[in-house]
Amino acid sequence: MKKSILLLLLSTLIISSCVQKAEDRTLVVAYSQEIPNLDVQKNTNRSLRDMLVGSVYERLFVMDGEGIPRCELASSYSFGEDNHVLDIRIRENVNMHDGSVLSPEDAMASMNRWLDSCAQASDMVGGNRFSIMDGALHIESENNLALFPYLVASSPQAAVIASEESLEENSFSLVSSVVGTGPYRLSSYESGVGLTLSRFEDYSSYGDGSDGLWGNKDAYFDTIKYLIVPDSVTRRLGLETGEYDFINDVMSYDIPELKENGDVRLIGGEETGSIALVFNKKSDLGGRLWFRQAVALAVDHDALMKACYGDYGYNLHSDYMEDHQKIFAVQGDPYCIQDMDAAVGLLKENGYGSEVVRILSSNNSNLDRIALALKDMLEGVGMKAEVTILDWTGFLSERSDPEAFDIFISAFSSVALPQMKLYLSQDYPGWFYDDKASSYMGKLNSADGVEEAADVWQEAQRYFWSVLPVVVPGHYITINASGSDIGGVIVQDGNHFWSAYREE
């Protein structure tokens, strides 16, 4: 069962030689979600990745439109010893924002810091670290490394390459400066307000511009200003008056009006992530399977997604992976349809009393509306529930406390591999872990390629549906909008403006 919007979509609006470009060289982008810091290796914030990854920072590999990793800062890579050894050569003569030239030592320091930050990556390499051998990055592992480039190219904790000097000596502290290799450099940042990028004149371009995310980056705009504008009405009005050139997270109720506005271009795309109700397995209620089953049966998936997105912008299915990742599609979720009678029966059978279900949510992107709708559904089957709604920073702090909630609600960005789903990590808030889950994660990490990983996932997904670390009611299709004079925006793996331009 699907519910989606049909919008004009150009994944990459390609610059044509016949297009005449205006002289206004500043692009103003209004984003809904605040960015808590600038450390993309540690922070999974979608907005932060959109702002910095690819434009300011670059990675060794990026994903193409077919879901295949391509070289970006890597010039080549090779496997040895049945995929237990990986060697990566770095592009030569790549300029960095501090005036230095990218070295293998910069790449090694960056990748080892990322391994310290990203549990999935560390698990995949078996806790080993990169060294330099014959001028190339070199790593060995008892595990199969065939899928490692996929992880580097798509991890929500971005595997970006920075100058060694800009990284803190303590790999677990936040970066104090931003020095990358991208076509833009960070010129200012104010917490809660936004950041400004300026064009890097010495950018080391490569490719012929035909390769999408991993090709040449034109950097037409001199300046890109990102503003944090949480209120959807303010974003829409700012776009209509020309104050903003691009806005993200267009609300459902704004779409009919914007579709009629000839000065606005709606930009939709494929599923870019999912909503998840994450159970706290350390809490008295969240740790009980019958409780998780009762919640799953009480939920009306369509009503939850509609509470957030209205009539547009979502698909209904409970796979953990997104719809375009067809190789990972699985059928057979036993809890995908609401059954209130069964939920009531489970509660009575297991002696549910007057325990209050504590629901935690941020106020970002209407997620609080899902929390309130969930409260009503749980009360509809006889549970008592309360909702705590915080700003993003407060939410991140509260969900790290296992004593503070039973369920939290969050959006999770699309990832290339199932083992990259954060809520399947035993250290991620929710704290899901058992021996069988660990076995599946091990098999996924050691797979010889995506086809073998897909075979493992068929069985793993059904297991996770049975034990319910989370409930996934649906997947969101991010809908953005720009002025009709803005072209060249790439909406694959986020929103990217390094080749954007303004038409005259």
Side-chain angles (χ1 to χ4, degrees):
M1 180 168 53
K2 306 280 186 186
K3 191 176 186 73
S4 61
I5 184 170
L6 298 177
L7 293 171
L8 173 65
L9 166 63
L10 297 177
S11 290
T12 305
L13 302 176
I14 302 173
I15 298 176
S16 169
S17 59
C18 63
V19 173
Q20 186 171 359
K21 300 171 187 175
E23 291 302 316
D24 183 357
R25 295 300 184 96
T26 297
L27 181 76
V28 182
V29 179
Y31 257 55
S32 59
Q33 188 177 43
E34 184 176 349
I35 53 176
N37 57 60
L38 296 173
D39 200 330
V40 294
Q41 286 193 342
K42 300 182 181 299
N43 196 315
T44 61
N45 182 282
R46 171 79 266 178
S47 297
L48 181 63
R49 294 204 305 280
D50 280 7
M51 295 175 189
L52 297 186
V53 177
S55 55
V56 175
Y57 286 124
E58 295 179 307
R59 293 165 288 188
L60 296 176
F61 310 108
V62 294
M63 299 294 261
D64 68 11
E66 301 299 320
I68 304 299
R70 303 281 187 174
C71 288
E72 187 172 48
L73 290 179
S75 61
S76 65
Y77 65 102
S78 61
F79 294 101
E81 298 184 17
D82 295 327
N83 297 330
H84 290 275
V85 173
L86 173 61
D87 290 293
I88 306 170
R89 296 214 165 265
I90 309 301
R91 284 175 52 210
E92 297 181 349
N93 302 317
V94 174
N95 296 317
M96 305 197 79
H97 299 156
D98 61 359
S100 64
V101 176
L102 175 67
S103 69
E105 288 76 16
D106 293 316
M108 180 181 69
S110 300
M111 291 300 292
N112 284 335
R113 183 178 188 272
W114 175 65
L115 290 177
D116 289 337
S117 304
C118 180
Q120 294 94 336
S122 182
D123 290 344
M124 187 174 286
V125 301
N128 294 298
R129 293 171 68 83
F130 280 96
S131 62
I132 297 174
M133 183 176 294
D134 296 328
L137 290 188
H138 176 87
I139 194 164
E140 301 179 10
S141 176
E142 294 180 355
N143 297 329
N144 191 315
L145 298 176
L147 296 178
F148 192 71
Y150 289 83
L151 187 58
V152 174
S154 60
S155 171
Q157 291 170 275
V160 296
I161 304 301
S163 72
E164 183 178 14
E165 187 176 346
S166 72
L167 301 177
E168 297 286 345
E169 289 185 9
N170 179 354
S171 63
F172 292 98
S173 64
L174 297 176
V175 294
S176 58
S177 61
V178 175
V179 180
T181 61
Y184 287 92
R185 62 194 305 170
L186 178 68
S187 57
S188 68
Y189 165 64
E190 185 177 353
S191 178
V193 176
L195 57 81
T196 300
L197 309 181
S198 58
R199 185 170 57 193
F200 179 42
E201 299 293 346
D202 295 325
Y203 175 63
S204 305
S205 62
Y206 62 102
D208 61 5
S210 63
D211 291 334
L213 289 179
W214 66 95
N216 189 43
K217 299 173 181 178
D218 297 286
Y220 164 76
F221 286 101
D222 295 327
T223 304
I224 301 177
K225 291 184 177 180
Y226 288 95
L227 301 176
I228 307 302
V229 185
D231 182 68
S232 63
V233 175
T234 303
R235 291 198 305 277
R236 177 179 61 80
L237 292 176
L239 177 68
E240 291 178 319
T241 61
E243 181 181 359
Y244 309 138
D245 296 302
F246 184 98
I247 63 173
N248 79 329
D249 285 352
V250 173
M251 296 293 106
S252 176
Y253 45 75
D254 288 327
I255 289 174
E257 179 178 339
L258 291 176
K259 287 176 69 174
E260 300 300 319
N261 188 333
D263 295 325
V264 170
R265 174 183 286 136
L266 285 170
I267 305 172
E270 59 192 11
E271 292 177 2
T272 50
S274 57
I275 298 297
L277 318 181
V278 182
F279 293 102
N280 175 6
K281 274 66 71 179
K282 290 186 177 181
S283 77
D284 288 341
L285 284 175
R288 303 174 189 177
L289 178 59
W290 62 263
F291 167 76
R292 302 198 298 271
Q293 291 171 330
V295 171
L297 291 167
V299 166
D300 180 334
H301 290 197
D302 192 31
L304 278 187
M305 297 301 288
K306 190 183 292 271
C308 183
Y309 296 102
D311 293 327
Y312 303 94
Y314 66 91
N315 289 336
L316 290 176
H317 66 91
S318 53
D319 293 46
Y320 291 4
M321 300 297 280
E322 271 60 59
D323 192 41
H324 60 275
Q325 299 159 319
K326 298 186 186 303
I327 192 170
F328 291 113
V330 184
Q331 302 295 321
D333 178 10
Y335 299 102
C336 64
I337 299 176
Q338 185 183 41
D339 189 337
M340 298 179 70
D341 290 339
V344 171
L346 271 172
L347 295 174
K348 289 182 178 179
E349 179 183 338
N350 289 279
Y352 172 80
S354 59
E355 299 99 324
V356 176
V357 182
R358 299 163 299 165
I359 303 168
L360 175 65
S361 174
S362 76
N363 57 7
N364 278 332
S365 303
N366 287 344
L367 291 177
D368 51 328
R369 298 184 183 182
I370 293 182
L372 295 173
L374 176 61
K375 177 179 182 292
D376 289 343
M377 292 173 192
L378 298 187
E379 290 175 344
V381 296
M383 298 189 201
K384 296 182 179 180
E386 64 181 23
V387 174
T388 299
I389 299 170
L390 302 170
D391 63 18
W392 181 249
T393 302
F395 168 74
L396 290 179
S397 175
E398 193 76 356
R399 79 174 183 188
S400 66
D401 180 1
E403 302 296 325
F405 68 95
D406 299 300
I407 303 170
F408 79 77
I409 299 167
S410 192
F412 292 86
S413 298
S414 176
V415 293
L417 301 169
Q419 61 265 44
M420 296 167 63
K421 288 293 181 181
L422 291 172
Y423 47 72
L424 296 180
S425 169
Q426 61 180 316
D427 298 321
Y428 187 78
W431 303 284
F432 172 71
Y433 178 78
D434 63 24
D435 290 341
K436 198 166 185 178
S438 178
S439 175
Y440 283 127
M441 293 299 102
K443 290 177 181 178
L444 288 167
N445 283 335
S446 62
D448 241 347
V450 290
E451 291 186 359
E452 183 176 326
D455 289 341
V456 174
W457 183 243
Q458 285 286 323
E459 185 177 333
Q461 174 68 95
R462 293 188 179 92
Y463 174 69
F464 293 131
W465 278 333
S466 72
V467 296
L468 291 167
V470 302
V471 171
V472 175
H475 298 249
Y476 55 86
I477 304 169
T478 299
I479 301 171
N480 309 301
S482 73
S484 59
D485 60 341
I486 301 299
V489 180
I490 298 171
V491 294
Q492 178 186 333
D493 189 31
N495 304 311
H496 309 292
F497 305 97
W498 52 70
S499 292
Y501 60 90
R502 189 188 306 279
E503 298 176 7
E504 191 172 77

